[in-house]
Amino acid sequence: MNYPVLSITLFTPLLGALLVLLVPKERKGVIRVIGVLFALLSLLLAAYVWVMVVRQDASEMQFVENHPWIPDLDLMYTLGVDGLSAPMLLLSGLLTTLALFYSGFTVQERIKEYYLLFLLLETGMLGVFLSLDLVLFYVFWEVGLVPMFLLIGVWGGPRREYAAIKFFIYTLAGSVFGLLGILAVYHETGTFNVLEASAARPFAGDPTWATLVFWALFVAFAIKVPVFPFHTWLPDAHTEAPTAGSVLLAGVLLKLGGYGMMRIALPLFPERFHYFAVEVPIITIMALMSIVYGALVCMAQWDLKRLVAYSSVAHMGYVVLGLAAAAAAWGRGTDAAIFNAAASGINGAAMQQFAHGIITGTMFFLVGMIYQRAHTRDLRSFGGLATILPTYYGLTLVTAFASLGLPGLVGFWSELFVFRGVMRLMPIAAFIGVIGMVFTAGYTLWKIVQHLFLGTLDRTRWGGLTDLVWWEKVTVWPLVILMVVLGVYPALLVNSFNAAAMTLLRNFVIR
Amino acid sequence: MTPSASVMYLLPPICLLAGGFLIVLADLVVVKPERVLRVAWWLALIAILASGVTSFVVGRDDVTRIFAVLAYDPFTAYTWRLILAALALIALISEAYVRTMIKEPAFYYAGLLFFGFGALLLSASTNTIMLILAVDFVSIVGYVLTGYLHDDKRSTEGAIKYLIYGSAVSAVMAFGLSWLYGITGAADYELTAAGLAGEWVWLPSHSIEPVVLVPAITFVLAGFAFKIGSAPFHQWLPDAFEGAPTPVTAALAIIPKVSGFAALVRLTMVMLPETLTLGLWWRWPLIAFLAVMGMFLGNLIGLWQTNIKRLMAYSGIAQVGYALIAVAVGTEKSLASLMLYLTVYAMAELGAFAAISVMSATSGSDDLTEYRGLYHRAPILATALILSVLSLFGVPGTGGFVSKVWLFTAALEADRGWLIVVAAINSVISVAYYWRIIQATFVHSDHGLAKVKVPATTWTVIAVTVAAVLLLGIFPNTVLRWAQAAVHGFFVSG
C-alpha cells in the first residue's frame, strides 16, 4: 500500500503541536521532549523523502498526492517533491530540530506556546516546499507567517513589538498582492496547479497583464528573500527575534521567497523574468544592489547580530542573481552551452539557498551563544576571545569561511555555480557581483574574526567566559560537519538540484 | 397559495414574536427578580430554538410568497437560519452579562426576540412598503436595546445618536421608495422592476429617462447603508457600539448587517436587475462607491481606536465594505460568496464578542488596556478572541480566508479586479489595528492579574464559534453548497 508520505511529513509537526496543547503548561520537560521528538521525526521523514527522491528520479515530481480540497473553488490539495524541494525539506527539518533542541536549554518563558508555535511554523514551512497548488502554497506561506510574527513579538529582544509588526506588515503586503497574482493566473489559465499553470504560459500574448501579475508575484517573493530595496524589515526582525527564531527566519523563511521565485515566478513568466533581468534589468540590479550594498552595510555594523542579518541580504542576492541568469537564457535557442549555463544558475541559486540556510543558521546560533555569555553583541567591546573560547573560535571560523566562500566548504560551490551561469549569460553583472564577494571577505575577516577573536583580551571583563557546553556543541557540530561534507562532496546535493533544474528549464523556460 | 397555507412559512418569525410577548407576560406574573431572570432567559432560548426548528420543518427548497409581501425561498431559509443561530448565541452570551449589568431582564430578552423578528421580516421582504416597515421595526428595537443601560451616559448617548440618525435616514429611504412608487405605481419588487423597464401598471407605456430616478435610488441606498453600517452613513455606529450593553453590540454587529444585506441583495436582484440602466448605475458607481468608502474609512479610522468596541465597530464598517464588493459584482458566484462571507463574519464576531462581553462584565471597561495579558488570565477566552480576529483579517485556516478568496475570484471573473486591489490594500492596513488586539491579549505577559471567570454559557458560544471558524476555513464544502443553493434562485429565469 502507498502511504501518503508527504502528508505524514507535513502534519507530523502539527500533530506534535496538538500534543503540546494537551500537556499542562507546568510540565515543561514533557513539552520540550515532545517538541524535539516531533521535529526529529519530521526530519527523519524528510530525510527518507529526500533519499527516495534521489534514488528514484529527482527530475520529476515524486510521491504526488492530489485530492480535491474545496472543489467548488477549484482548490486542490496537491503535494509533490522533486530534486529542488526535497533538500529544502531536509533543511527545514534539520534547523527546526536543532532550534528546538537549543531552545530547550535557553528559553524559559511560556514554553508551551513557544513549542506550539514553533511546530506550527514547521508545518507552514514544509507545506510551502511541498505544495503544488498555488493557493495551498499561499495557505502554508501565511500559516508560517503568523507563528513567526508571534515568536518575534513575544520572545524577542527589547524592540520586539516594533520588529514583529514591521515584519508582519511587510510580508503581508507582499503576499496579499501575491494572492491577487495567483487569482489572476487562475482566471487566465483555469487552474491553480503550479505545473499546469506554468505549462499554460499565462498572459503570454498580453505584456501589460503579464507584467502586472509577474510583479505582484515577484514582489511577494522579493520581500521574503529579501532583495534590495525590500530588505528593511530584515535587520529589525533578525536582531529582535529570539535566537532560534532568527535561525529559522534566516535559515528557512527567507528560502521560501527564493523557492517561490524558482518554482512559480520563473516557470510561469519566463519571458517577463527575462525581460526584467536583461532588457530592463531591474531584477539584476536589485540582486546586485543586495550583494554589494548588503555587504557594504555589513562593514559598517558593530552589532554582531545585525551584521549577520545584513549578510543575509547580501547572500540571498546571489540566489536572485542565479535565477536572473537562468532567465537570461530564455529565447536564446537550445544551444547546449547556454542551457548548461542556465542550469548552473539555477543550481547555484538552489545550492546557495541550502548553503546559506546552514551557514547563517549556525551563525545565529553562535551569536546567541556569545550573547548569552557576554550579554552584549557590540563588536567593539570584544577581542582576543580565541584564547579562552577555543571551541567556539574554531566553529565560528569554519562558519565564517564557509560564508565567504572558501573552497572546501559549502559556500564556495553555490557561488561558483551562480557565477558560472552569470558569467556566460550576463558577464557585466558577474563583474559587479564579484565585488560583493570581496566585501564579504572584508567584513567576515575584519569584523567577525578580528574583532571577536584576535587582539588582546580584556581579562577583567571577559576572563570569566566559559567555552561551549555539551548541548551547544550538539547544536552546532552537525551543521559545521554538513558544511565540510557538502564542501568536499557537493554532488550529494547538486545532483538532486540539477535533475530538477534541467526539467524546469526544459519544460518551462527554454522550450 | 391560500393565505392560511402560507402562514406556515411565517412560523419562524411568529415563534420569536410569541416568545417575546410570553416573556413580557411572564414578567407580570413572576415576582422574584432572580426567577424572572431565569424564566426570561429560558423562554428566549426556547423561542429561538422553536423558531429554528420550524425553519427546518417548512423545507428548504420551497419557493413561495407569504401574503404577497414576503418571499420564502432557499435564500430566505439560509438567512433566517443564520440570523437565528446568531440570535441563539447572543442569548447565550447575554446570560452572564444580563445577570450582573441589566436591571430589567425581561424586556431585554423580549427586545432581543423582537429584534430577531424584525430581521427575519426584513430579509424576506419583496415589497417596498414591507421593506420600510421592517427597517423601522429593527431600528426602533435597536434604539431601545442600545440605551438599555439606563445609568450609563454613553449608553443613552449611543441610543440617541442611533435614534436621530436612524429616523432621518429612514425618512430619506421612505422618500426614495415613494418616488419609485409614484413613478411605477407598484410596491412589489417585480412590478416595480417591470414599471422601471417601461411596462407600466397604471399608465400607458411610455419611456422615462432613468437619470430622473437616480436621486430616488440614492436615497434608498442611503437607507441600506445606514442599516448595514456602511460608510459614509456610519457615524452613529461607533457610539452605539460603545454605549450599548455588550451582547447588544454583538447583536448590532451581526443581525442588522445580515438581514440588511439579505434585503439589499433581494432588492438588487429583483427590483433593480442588471438589465435596467438604473440597475447598472445602482451597482456601479453607487454600491461600488460605498464598498470603497467603507473599506478605506473603516480601516483608516480603526487605526486610532483604543476602545475595543469602537475598534470592532470600525472593523465592521470595513468588513461591510468588503462584502459590498459582492453586491456590486452581482454574479451568482459573488452572491454565493457573500452568503459564506456573512456566515463567517457572524461566527467570528460572535467569538470576539463572547470574550468582550465577559471582559466588560468583569472589569466594567472596554479599553484595550484591560486586555493586557488576557491570555494568562483566561487562555481559552483569549484564544477565541485571537482566532476571531485572525478570521476577520482572513488568515488561511480560518473561514475568513476561504470567503475572501471566493469573493476575490468572483470579482475577478466579473472584471472587477480593481475592487479587489482596493480590498487587498485595505487588508494590509487593517493588520495594524487587528494586531493591537493580539498584542494586548497575547504578546503582553502581565503576570499576577486575577484570573477571569468565564461563565458556562460563554464556553458554549466559544466552542461553537471556534469550531465554526476553523471548519469553515478547512472543510467549508457543505456550507459552500448551501450558499450556492441559497442564491441560485435569483439566476433562474422565469
Side-chain angles (χ1 to χ4, degrees), chain A residues 58-111:
Chain A
S59 64
E60 295 295 330
M61 286 296 165
Q62 303 287 330
F63 299 110
V64 174
E65 291 171 35
N66 198 10
H67 308 285
W69 172 32
I70 308 179
D72 295 293
L73 272 66
D74 264 356
L75 300 188
M76 304 289 284
Y77 173 81
T78 316
L79 303 180
V81 279
D82 64 357
L84 275 179
S85 44
M88 303 316 286
L89 297 181
L90 206 59
L91 180 70
S92 317
L94 179 66
L95 287 179
T96 313
T97 310
L98 294 176
L100 281 181
F101 175 77
Y102 178 77
S103 302
F105 298 91
T106 51
V107 176
Q108 305 301 336
E109 280 223 347
R110 301 175 74 176
I111 295 293

Side-chain angles (χ1 to χ4, degrees), chain A residues 25 69-73 75 109-110 113 117 135 138-140 142-143 146 149-150 153-155 160-161 164-165 168-169 172-173 176-177 179-180 183-184 186-187 192 209, chain B residues 333 375-376 390 393 395-397 401-402 405-406 408-409 412-413 415 420-421 424-425 427-428 431-432 435 438-439 442-445 447 451 473-474 476-477 480-481 484:
Chain A
K25 65 169 182 267
W69 172 32
I70 308 179
D72 295 293
L73 272 66
L75 300 188
E109 280 223 347
R110 301 175 74 176
E113 296 90 319
L117 290 172
V135 172
Y138 179 84
V139 166
F140 285 115
E142 297 272 297
V143 164
V146 176
F149 163 60
L150 292 174
V154 177
W155 289 271
R160 56 177 176 263
E161 289 179 14
I165 190 69
F168 197 69
I169 289 186
L172 195 90
V176 165
F177 287 97
L179 179 63
L180 297 191
L183 294 180
Y186 169 71
H187 185 50
F192 280 123
W209 268 101
Chain B
K333 200 169 171 183
Y375 184 79
H376 300 285
L390 290 179
F393 170 65
V395 168
F401 175 71
V402 176
V405 167
W406 202 12
F408 285 5
T409 320
L412 205 59
E413 272 175 18
D415 278 336
I420 63 173
V421 172
I425 294 170
S427 291
V428 178
V431 186
W435 146 252
I438 298 176
Q439 182 189 32
F442 188 79
V443 173
H444 282 300
S445 37
H447 290 291
K451 289 249 182 271
I474 302 168
N477 290 322
L480 234 63
R481 232 152 277 142
Q484 283 168 331

Side-chain angles (χ1 to χ4, degrees), chain B residues 3 6-7 9-10 64-72 76 80 124 126:
Chain B
S6 64
V7 167
Y9 292 96
L10 262 185
T64 184
R65 284 299 180 79
I66 312 167
F67 303 133
V69 292
L70 297 171
Y72 188 91
T76 309
W80 279 10
T126 57

Side-chain angles (χ1 to χ4, degrees), chain B residues 104 258 311 444 469 483:
Chain B
E104 295 97 10
V258 173
L311 201 154
H444 282 300
V469 164

